[in-house]
Amino acid sequence: MKRENVFKLIRFFIVIFIVVLSFFVLYLTAKLTYPFIIAIIIAMIISPAVHFLEKKWKFPRALAVVTSSLLLISIFAGLITLLIAEIVDGANYLSTVVPEHTRTLIEYIQNLFASQIIPFYERLASTFNNLDSNQQGTIMESISKTGSKITETATNFLQSFFLKLPSLVSWIPNAATVLVFSVLATFFISKDQEKLIDLMKKIIPEKVKFSGNKVFVDLKKALFGFVKAQFTLISITLVIVLVGLLILRVKYAITIALIAGIFDILPYLGTGTVFVPWIIYEIIIGNYGLALGLGILYTVVVVQRQLMEPKILSSSIGMNPLATLVALFVGFKLIGFLGLILGPVMLVLITTLHRANVFKDIWAYIQHGSADIKK
């Protein structure tokens, strides 16, 4: 092998090692410092308000940060209060309606057993008694194995649940600690934002600064675009569900629409978590008109979500709709539901790195041992 090719191969493995090491370091850093990452995100959110108060109203920087933070907290607290009030009102209604529906469902199941299950069991028992002893033994063994498997699965699930219960309880003080550190870090980061930016400019090399700044700007734009896209999709779902329920004259349509909007965040499950059991119940009690209406409404919600999601995501984060759809599918196949979020994020990261000529510089380094950054 030529000496030049040997050096190319060495530089290639150096690049691979640096990339893997960087991901490992980023993972450990994020795991240990995530309250401060949350603080950076919050500081970015309130930054326009801080600048407005500082420049227009001549607030001191610290007072502008405190005012903006309190304003953000007040907005979230107000929204949560309204949401809780509406849900509590709806829950009081459901607490009187659900028991009645439950009794109806139990009566239906009892009638089903009396008219269908028991006669079927009797015919099955008669057929079983007519079999020879070997056939009966085989069937009993299969039933026994199936029962044991179901029992084992249920036992493992319950054991796992109760073993995880202490960790769920211990999450509460941990969340409070994270909240305190995030709030304090947000104040200091936002207060000294200009100083921190100047310090980073001095520390970061010029070549890294050029590419890094472009990547950061694109990622910032894409991140907020992604959040905006998800908020838009959920809002569209909420409005469609609300209008549909009002047309169907369902009580507490606002509460149900809000719950459906919250469940719409869940990939694939989405509003089906609310509508599918509801539709089945209405069919069981014989309310076929409402069941049909809910079925049509659910179909409309699902179809608009599938049609609008790639388009809205692509327009918000500047990606091609087909590329966004591929990223969603590949992300889901690789790591499950979380991949539906990380897939587009990775697509944005790869695209921004490409736009910043990072891949071109890496290839130049592998080929020639240097990377020229075009300014």
Side-chain angles (χ1 to χ4, degrees):
M1 185 181 291
K2 292 182 180 179
R3 186 174 181 179
E4 182 183 351
N5 292 335
V6 172
F7 284 127
K8 285 182 182 180
L9 189 61
I10 291 172
R11 289 193 292 267
F12 172 76
F13 282 113
I14 289 173
V15 169
I16 296 297
F17 174 76
I18 292 173
V19 170
V20 173
L21 182 64
S22 299
F23 274 109
F24 181 71
V25 171
L26 283 173
Y27 171 75
L28 286 181
T29 304
K31 189 175 181 181
L32 295 173
T33 62
Y34 64 92
F36 303 98
I37 295 174
I38 295 172
I40 292 171
I41 294 172
I42 297 174
M44 290 168 61
I45 293 172
I46 66 173
S47 181
V50 172
H51 283 298
F52 176 80
L53 293 175
E54 191 179 16
K55 302 297 181 184
K56 297 292 183 180
W57 289 5
K58 307 301 179 183
F59 275 37
R61 181 77 184 184
L63 182 59
V65 172
V66 172
T67 305
S68 301
S69 301
L70 290 175
L71 180 62
L72 181 66
I73 292 171
S74 300
I75 291 172
F76 273 105
L79 291 173
I80 291 172
T81 301
L82 290 173
L83 180 63
I84 290 175
E86 179 64 27
I87 289 176
V88 168
D89 193 23
N92 289 331
Y93 167 75
L94 292 175
S95 65
T96 59
V97 172
V98 169
E100 181 183 344
H101 289 347
T102 303
R103 284 194 296 271
T104 303
L105 183 62
I106 291 173
E107 289 175 3
Y108 174 82
I109 294 173
Q110 289 174 341
N111 293 332
L112 181 66
F113 264 87
S115 61
Q116 301 292 333
I117 305 297
I118 293 177
F120 175 75
Y121 170 76
E122 290 175 349
R123 290 196 299 270
L124 193 65
S126 175
T127 303
F128 179 78
N129 291 329
N130 291 330
L131 298 175
D132 59 47
S133 58
N134 290 332
Q135 291 174 324
Q136 290 180 358
T138 303
I139 292 173
M140 292 302 297
E141 185 180 354
S142 300
I143 293 174
S144 177
K145 287 181 179 179
T146 303
S148 299
K149 188 66 177 178
I150 294 172
T151 304
E152 182 184 354
T153 303
T155 303
N156 291 337
F157 172 77
L158 291 173
Q159 285 179 343
S160 176
F161 173 76
F162 285 111
L163 286 173
K164 289 179 180 178
L165 200 57
S167 63
L168 291 175
V169 175
S170 66
W171 175 84
I172 297 174
N174 179 63
T177 305
V178 170
L179 180 63
V180 171
F181 274 95
S182 296
V183 170
L184 292 174
T186 299
F187 173 77
F188 290 117
I189 290 171
S190 188
K191 177 178 175 292
D192 299 325
Q193 183 177 357
E194 300 298 330
K195 294 180 181 178
L196 291 172
I197 291 173
D198 291 337
L199 179 63
M200 290 180 65
K201 286 180 178 178
K202 292 177 182 178
I203 295 174
I204 298 174
E206 196 64 30
K207 288 184 176 182
V208 176
K209 191 191 303 181
F210 177 82
S211 298
N213 183 61
K214 187 170 179 58
V215 171
F216 176 76
V217 170
D218 284 352
L219 281 178
K220 180 182 175 182
K221 179 182 176 182
L223 176 63
F224 282 100
F226 183 78
V227 174
K228 177 185 174 184
Q230 292 299 327
F231 180 77
T232 303
L233 289 167
I234 293 170
S235 300
I236 293 172
T237 298
L238 195 150
V239 170
I240 292 175
V241 171
L242 178 60
V243 172
L245 294 179
L246 289 174
I247 293 173
L248 294 172
R249 298 188 179 185
V250 174
K251 290 185 178 180
Y252 290 93
I254 295 176
T255 301
I256 298 172
L258 287 171
I259 294 172
I262 293 170
F263 276 103
D264 193 45
I265 300 172
L266 300 174
Y268 278 85
L269 296 176
T271 52
T273 311
V274 175
F275 278 100
V276 172
W278 191 2
I279 292 169
I280 293 173
Y281 172 78
E282 296 299 337
I283 292 173
I284 288 174
I285 65 173
N287 196 352
Y288 300 115
L290 181 57
L292 178 61
L294 292 174
I296 294 172
L297 177 58
Y298 177 54
T299 303
V300 171
V301 170
V302 171
V303 170
Q304 72 82 21
R305 178 80 184 197
Q306 297 302 317
L307 291 176
M308 297 297 291
E309 185 170 13
K311 182 177 177 59
I312 291 177
L313 276 176
S314 63
S315 61
S316 298
I317 63 180
M319 296 289 104
N320 180 274
L322 180 59
T324 307
L325 192 62
V326 171
L328 288 167
F329 181 78
V330 172
F332 174 73
K333 282 296 183 181
L334 289 177
I335 53 177
F337 290 154
L338 187 60
L340 294 172
I341 297 175
L342 294 182
V345 172
M346 291 305 298
L347 177 63
V348 170
L349 178 61
I350 292 170
T351 304
T352 51
L353 290 175
H354 173 69
R355 289 173 181 170
N357 294 322
V358 173
F359 296 128
K360 184 178 179 181
D361 295 333
I362 291 173
W363 182 250
Y365 170 75
I366 293 173
Q367 290 292 314
H368 311 294
S370 63
D372 297 324
I373 307 291
K374 293 182 180 180
K375 298 185 179 179

